[in-house]
Amino acid sequence: MGGSRSRRVLGSRSYKNYSAQMLDTAVDLVNRKIISSLEASKQFLIPRRTIDNKVKKKHPKKPGAQQRLTAAEELDIIKVLTVAADFGSPVSRLELRLIVRTYLNKNNKGHLFKHNLPGKWWVKNFLNRHKEMLTERAVQNIKRVRASTNTDDFENYFENLRKSLDKIPAKNILNYDETNLSDNPGSTKCIFKRKVKYPERIMNTSKGNISIMFAATADGTLLPTYTVYKAEHLWTTWCENGPGKARYNRSKSGWFDSTVFQDWFNSVIIPWADKLDGPKLIIGDNLSSHLNIDIVSKCEERNIRFTFLPPNSTHISQPLDVAFFGPLKRKWRDILTQYKIHNPAEPQINKAHFPMLLKSLLEAIEINSKANICAGFKATGIVPFNPQTILRKIPDYEEQNNYTIDTALLDYLKANRTANPLQKLRNKKLNITPGKSISSQEVQLFMTKKKSKLSRETNRSNINEAQQTFLDLETNLDAEPVIDEPNSKTRPKVTILSEVRFSPYNCAYADLTKMLPQNLKKVDKSYNIFKSESKENLPVIQPEEEFLEYIDYENQMPSTSADNKRLILKKPESCNAKKKIKRDNSDDNSENSDSYSLRDTSEDECFIPSESESCEDFEEQNVQNTVKKCETLRIDSYVLVKFCGPKTNKYYVGKVLDIIDDSGMYVKFMRNRKEEFYWPHIDDISYTVKSDIEIILGIPHEGRRGTLRFDCIDFSKYNVQ
């Protein structure tokens, strides 16, 4: 079962040394009695007994071990292997053996092979018997999104392409695509002495690469190349001794962004289009950085049509990808290997040497470049126009054969190809001293303490319950207020003078002892009205005046004493919807508390216990600060907004969508990735007050894949999210 077979011993019996046609001829002559079996044996050098057995029709089977599976069963296996490969799940030799074992177990044929598993030699002979239908090839891994393209996407693409190709010659059809030339020549087979476990070759390599934009027409013409280095500045030696008419540029990322792509279009495509008459067609991928308003206007002026390939399909629909980049990369590895051998001191490709290497590469592929380019346009069904060349490669195409496959043979594929991702657990940061280790038991203890701490705090579900209670109370405002009396003997009667709201965005607190009348001496400090079981009985009274007086609880009449007055001021809208709830960490049951505190969470107003400040001065100062900070603010402005957290402040970059009034606006927020900002998949729009705006940003620069960056702002000073 997989061991090496014994070799033939010298002097032993010879094996078959004749063809099947020679044997059939000898048997036919003996059957017609033209010659005898002895004469046929001498004439054709075939054993006499073999000829006699064929004449008498003995031993019709082939010599050696017989096939374990029937021809029909092997044909079903071939169909399974073909379908699995068509749908992106090809089978290896080991998986083939396991598939056959699954089939034998389901059909009670496990005795056909030893240990109920076919051996390696069976797989080898199976592939030899069906080498006209099956072959072994190295696979190329593609992403799942690339495999998800279907016939509908390509049918719509070719329908639009048919209209775009109308009356356009091959020389006016152009395909462009960017690729990179890496600094690693890859591995190759070399000669070593036997039993060497770790074959190595001394050669400096790196993970760096250089981006190049190639463009070619359907008649095989290759346009000048456009190279982009990863650097802040461009130097003269990086642009010398290269191919003729080649152009060079640089970018921070080393890839083509919108600015670099526009420069390539103006310097390469526009001169090509100006030399041609009639309509022109450009085919490329649909990256957002490859198109802007300026390019579209120039295309309209020169009668240039743009056609984008279907998303995630360039590996089969991009002409340069299909037939040009493969030979280009193979030749580049040979040139790079020779460069590494002759320049052993260079840790990576010297940019001053790259133009010379690029020139050698284009000269090496010049012989076959025109044929490869034309083959790429033909293989993608563009020139000549033939959608069937691509549609045949898609498994769900209608014209493909309908395979009748035994479902038992597909059980193995279903069990091993079904996605079974691991559960994603919520991660928490561990504040561990640097250099100190931690065990799994200590992590569990940390999580237990974390949960117990969270259980002591007020969770969001309680807040939602309180909000619902307030909505129920709001419908009965005309009803007579009912005072909550948990224990009438020991607890005083308290009347709430303002509307109590449970909002997660309000952080106003007041000292109840300053609000109570002076004749109310004894207050049970351990009683918290917000922990009362009968929240629905809380009295709610809407304030009608800006300044209210305290009520004499004995006479139930408003007090005229100026000392008992309290202020109610309209709350400045500075609490943002993204701010976390400020929680009172003090213990309500502590007997050492000096005050009986009442939390007023009204979204419209907050209590100010101190009478030393004037509310008019406070409002005027707040408005002046807001106007001074936001005097240039307008719609579509980019701003940096501050959100106050319990420990640290966080900053978000956003775009103003609408300004409601002088105090607030709606802002759509972005996400930060290495000081490059992008829009999330789900819009994050929030109401923001102007006092929370830290900086009004300028006009951003568009980067690669639609990202935005603000070069004039140093974000290292802020905790930008």
Side-chain angles (χ1 to χ4, degrees), residues 394-414:
I394 305 176
D396 59 349
Y397 184 50
E398 296 179 356
E399 290 187 4
Q400 279 197 331
N401 297 327
N402 295 323
Y403 301 109
T404 56
I405 308 166
D406 186 1
T407 55
L409 294 176
L410 292 175
D411 288 344
Y412 173 80
L413 293 177
K414 292 180 180 179

Side-chain angles (χ1 to χ4, degrees), residues 376-598:
F377 279 91
K378 182 179 180 180
T380 53
I382 299 176
V383 178
F385 184 77
N386 184 15
Q388 305 299 325
T389 56
I390 288 184
L391 295 177
R392 289 195 206 97
K393 302 176 184 178
I394 305 176
D396 59 349
Y397 184 50
E398 296 179 356
E399 290 187 4
Q400 279 197 331
N401 297 327
N402 295 323
Y403 301 109
T404 56
I405 308 166
D406 186 1
T407 55
L409 294 176
L410 292 175
D411 288 344
Y412 173 80
L413 293 177
K414 292 180 180 179
N416 289 275
R417 302 301 178 182
T418 305
N420 187 18
L422 297 176
Q423 182 182 2
K424 293 183 179 181
L425 302 177
R426 186 176 180 181
N427 205 2
K428 291 187 178 296
K429 182 179 179 181
L430 296 173
N431 294 324
I432 305 299
T433 305
K436 184 179 179 181
S437 62
I438 190 171
S439 64
S440 58
Q441 291 79 7
E442 293 174 339
V443 173
Q444 293 178 359
L445 182 61
F446 170 79
M447 296 299 296
T448 304
K449 292 182 178 180
K450 193 77 174 178
K451 291 180 180 179
S452 62
K453 182 179 179 180
L454 292 176
S455 63
R456 291 195 298 268
E457 298 178 354
T458 305
N459 53 29
R460 192 173 296 274
S461 61
N462 294 335
I463 297 175
N464 295 335
E465 180 183 355
Q467 289 177 340
Q468 184 63 34
T469 303
F470 168 72
L471 294 176
D472 297 337
L473 291 172
E474 200 172 23
T475 57
N476 300 320
L477 291 178
D478 297 335
E480 184 178 356
V482 180
I483 302 175
D484 185 17
E485 297 183 0
N487 191 346
S488 60
K489 295 181 180 180
T490 60
R491 313 218 183 263
K493 296 181 179 181
V494 181
T495 302
I496 307 300
L497 302 179
S498 65
E499 178 185 358
V500 178
R501 297 184 181 179
F502 297 82
S503 172
Y505 310 120
N506 192 295
C507 304
Y509 292 85
D511 190 355
L512 187 61
T513 57
K514 296 181 180 181
M515 299 169 53
L516 297 176
Q518 296 180 357
N519 55 5
L520 186 60
K521 303 294 183 180
K522 297 181 179 180
V523 178
D524 190 351
K525 302 175 183 178
S526 63
Y527 174 53
N528 190 343
I529 62 174
F530 292 101
K531 294 184 178 180
S532 175
E533 297 179 356
S534 57
K535 292 180 180 152
E536 66 276 3
N537 296 327
L538 289 176
V540 179
I541 301 176
Q542 296 284 354
E544 297 180 357
E545 299 179 359
E546 183 177 2
F547 297 92
L548 299 181
E549 298 178 346
Y550 289 107
I551 297 177
D552 189 347
Y553 287 88
E554 295 180 356
N555 301 324
Q556 295 294 323
M557 293 295 293
S559 174
T560 58
S561 175
D563 298 332
N564 294 333
K565 289 185 179 181
R566 64 182 176 90
L567 297 177
I568 297 179
L569 176 64
K570 291 293 182 178
K571 185 188 75 135
E573 298 183 5
S574 61
C575 295
N576 196 288
K578 282 182 173 288
K579 293 181 180 179
K580 297 185 178 179
I581 304 171
K582 181 178 181 181
R583 303 187 185 277
D584 190 0
N585 295 326
S586 61
D587 191 357
D588 295 335
N589 296 326
S590 176
E591 296 180 359
N592 298 325
S593 177
D594 296 334
S595 62
Y596 184 98
S597 62
L598 170 65

